[in-house]
Amino acid sequence: MADLKNEIEKRRTFAIISHPDAGKTTLTEKFLLYGGAINLAGSVKGKATARHAVSDWMEIEKERGISVTSSVLQFNYDNYCINILDTPGHQDFSEDTYRTLMAADSAVMVIDASKGVEAQTRKLFKVCVMRNIPIFTFINKMDREARDTFELLDEIEKELGIATCPINWPIGSGKDFKGVYDRNTQMVTTFSDTQRGTKEGETKEISIDDSNLADIIGESFAATVQDEVELLDGASAEFDMELVSTGKLSPVFFGSALTNFGVEIFLKYFLQMTSSPLPRNSNIGPINPFGSDFSAFVFKIQANMNKAHRDRIAFMRICSGKFEAGMEVTHIQGGNKKLRLSQPQQLMAQERKMVEEAYAGDIIGVFDPGIFSIGDTLCAGSDKFEFEGIPTFAPEHFARVRQMDTMKRKQFVKGISQIAQEGAIQIFQEYNTGMEEIIVGVVGVLQFDVLKYRLENEYNVEIRMENLPYEHIRWIANKEVDLDKIVGTSDMKKIKDLKGNPLLLFVNSWSIGMTLDRNKGLELSEFGRD
Ligand code: G4P
């Protein structure tokens, strides 16, 4: 048992979120480098190659040269076992990106110092807030011309509504990037731009009060950092671990992932400030991660990782106990059916490998013969319970989809339903008719291409898609409301999901407001829950 406790205690599971190009991939590579998981040659390999090695699973990714899938990487550092949940880096991200956050215990938000808060970060951030998970900010690319530091922090606070607490503070930026000042140790770590791809940069540490500081970083920089730190000590939020753990205060770090500056400092503080996996809620109360019985929930289903076998892999987050290959578990949503999880695998750094054992906090992928759905619970003990469901995230693009060949109706419905079950798309029906018309909703428009591609390649069905003008979908939170009686704007559309739950589609947010005004007592929600 001591072993189990020890193994779980050293687990840290976090997601990295950012807007494309802020440096998420580079930062991840540097983390792996510290863990010794990739060697020097691996780290300097072009981004495109490195990415493909990890997630070259779907043909479409290869074709378009982008990463559609999210990957999970595990590495060891300083007696910690770290799981990084990477999220797709392309603009056209999908619901999977949101769901990945459901499996993480904390999030690292990477921000480009010259750009500040960008659209995709904003969206993902909302989900972190909904879950109250700790959010760490890494302000990257300090080796490039950056925006004013106070202004950046102000923007994070205002735009994202979270307080910030800089743990370190940058001195200059771009050509004049001199290093960072650690507010904890009161030491300045100097920067020199020659360390691309290496593990440790050539840094020097010097106290902020040392009279040699001005000689090393220049008089005006030394004076500025002293002034700014004074200002900061008076103005910024005080560090409060309680607020950090509930996601109300974000510790902020500065660095340059590319030149590998500030990455290890960040990693060390991050590990100190985060905890091992915490209990997760279920219908019988919180489940203790240190309990000896294995339990997990499915947060992602990946189709056709191996096209030759047309298989699916269900990714699950282990929430308690220990997993052992071949163990028998109960699939709660499958009518408490007992099954053996076969071909369990894990991504270690850049390779997929079979796992013999895994612990609470870890993510494993198991072969799915088509029985799992997103949110399903698996458990091994005598207690049978269901973890709290994963919400459905609001799609932002909608299209009406028809098969070209009416004779292929059956394949069409099967294909589109299976793809929806994997969670890549959501499907809806007209409110008053049957399955004839299918409306597809996606979070990122790329999913339309993926759908078309997969229906043609895997199900041999050609489809025609007609884009619809709606951009907002709302679930009706108070179920007693009679959909027939809702008076909306002329551009509002009533639809239902496959379970018959009523939903509303809107072209713009103004219509949402109008509809709420016209129907007193109506409550609309951006997240769907069963
Ligand atoms: P992403 O996963 O968030 O999309 O970003 P990624 O790490 O791929 O980085 C995007 C670009 O920004 C890359 O350049 C990368 O080298 C660069 N970059 C990342 N971190 C830093 C940093 O700290 N400083 C500077 N100056 N650049 C950084 P690229 O030209 O698009 O790709 P590559 O050819 O360098 O691989």
Side-chain angles (χ1 to χ4, degrees), residues 93-164:
F93 72 131
S94 68
E95 252 197 287
D96 260 356
T97 322
Y98 287 137
R99 285 195 207 104
T100 299
L101 293 172
M102 305 305 286
D105 294 326
S106 59
V108 170
M109 172 163 77
V110 186
I111 286 183
D112 182 329
S114 67
K115 302 211 168 113
V117 177
E118 295 177 88
Q120 190 159 316
T121 318
R122 211 172 284 132
K123 283 189 194 173
L124 291 167
F125 184 85
K126 266 195 201 169
V127 182
C128 298
V129 169
M130 177 185 86
R131 293 203 47 222
N132 296 323
I133 58 175
I135 300 164
F136 291 76
T137 307
F138 185 82
I139 301 195
N140 191 29
K141 303 200 186 179
M142 289 306 299
D143 59 307
R144 291 244 184 99
E145 219 46 59
R147 282 174 46 191
D148 176 72
T149 316
F150 286 105
E151 195 186 293
L152 277 170
L153 295 181
D154 208 41
E155 181 173 292
I156 296 173
E157 302 214 341
K158 287 216 176 81
E159 288 232 12
L160 305 178
I162 187 172
T164 59

Side-chain angles (χ1 to χ4, degrees), residues 184-382:
N184 229 1
T185 60
Q186 306 191 342
M187 299 292 278
V188 170
T189 307
T190 59
F191 167 77
S192 66
D193 181 17
T194 49
Q195 307 305 323
R196 291 181 182 219
T198 58
K199 196 162 162 178
E200 264 122 57
E202 205 182 283
T203 54
K204 273 195 210 91
E205 281 212 346
I206 176 164
S207 162
I208 192 152
D209 301 320
D210 194 314
S211 53
N212 292 325
L213 183 68
D215 293 339
I216 296 173
I217 65 169
E219 214 162 291
S220 75
F221 285 106
T224 310
V225 67
Q226 273 150 351
D227 285 353
E228 286 186 342
V229 163
E230 211 171 293
L231 193 65
L232 192 64
D233 288 345
S236 88
E238 247 176 76
F239 183 79
D240 179 334
M241 201 53 217
E242 176 69 25
L243 293 178
V244 172
S245 22
T246 47
K248 295 192 174 66
L249 177 70
S250 178
V252 181
F253 299 81
F254 296 83
S256 155
L258 186 69
T259 57
N260 202 3
F261 182 82
V263 177
E264 193 171 25
I265 308 175
F266 171 67
L267 190 57
K268 281 193 177 343
Y269 274 114
F270 172 83
L271 291 168
Q272 266 173 35
M273 293 177 181
T274 45
S275 70
S276 51
L278 294 170
R280 230 164 232 264
N281 282 338
S282 78
N283 60 346
I284 59 162
I287 302 299
N288 175 12
F290 293 95
S292 55
D293 293 328
F294 163 85
S295 70
F297 71 90
V298 177
F299 67 96
K300 173 183 164 73
I301 293 175
Q302 174 79 54
N304 298 323
M305 286 164 121
N306 179 348
K307 206 167 174 232
H309 298 111
R310 286 186 51 138
D311 59 357
R312 306 206 311 187
I313 303 275
F315 285 92
M316 48 190 79
R317 147 87 196 217
I318 304 179
C319 298
S320 68
K322 177 180 179 182
F323 168 82
E324 279 169 276
M327 79 193 298
E328 196 179 68
V329 299
T330 305
H331 177 206
I332 304 296
Q333 284 83 350
N336 284 349
K337 204 165 164 226
K338 293 229 183 307
L339 47 98
R340 273 180 211 289
L341 299 177
S342 56
Q343 300 174 16
Q345 41 193 279
Q346 216 168 22
L347 275 165
M348 288 291 283
Q350 317 259 329
E351 281 164 38
R352 267 211 275 175
K353 65 157 205 168
M354 289 297 173
V355 277
E356 289 305 318
E357 52 184 53
Y359 295 87
D362 288 344
I363 311 293
I364 52 169
V366 302
F367 174 73
D368 171 21
I371 54 171
F372 297 125
S373 292
I374 304 282
D376 283 4
T377 300
L378 294 123
C379 46
S382 50

Side-chain angles (χ1 to χ4, degrees), residues 18-26 47 51 89 140-141 143-144 256-259:
S18 78
H19 193 79
D21 277 344
K24 193 163 48 75
T25 313
T26 313
K47 168 176 90 185
R51 255 192 199 160
N140 191 29
K141 303 200 186 179
D143 59 307
R144 291 244 184 99
S256 155
L258 186 69
T259 57

Side-chain angles (χ1 to χ4, degrees), residues 74 107 119 149 173 179 185-186 287 314 392 398 405 432 440 484 526:
Q74 188 182 66
T149 316
S173 73
T185 60
Q186 306 191 342
I287 302 299
T392 311
F398 299 87
D405 181 349
N432 282 322
V440 173
D484 284 329
E526 262 187 80

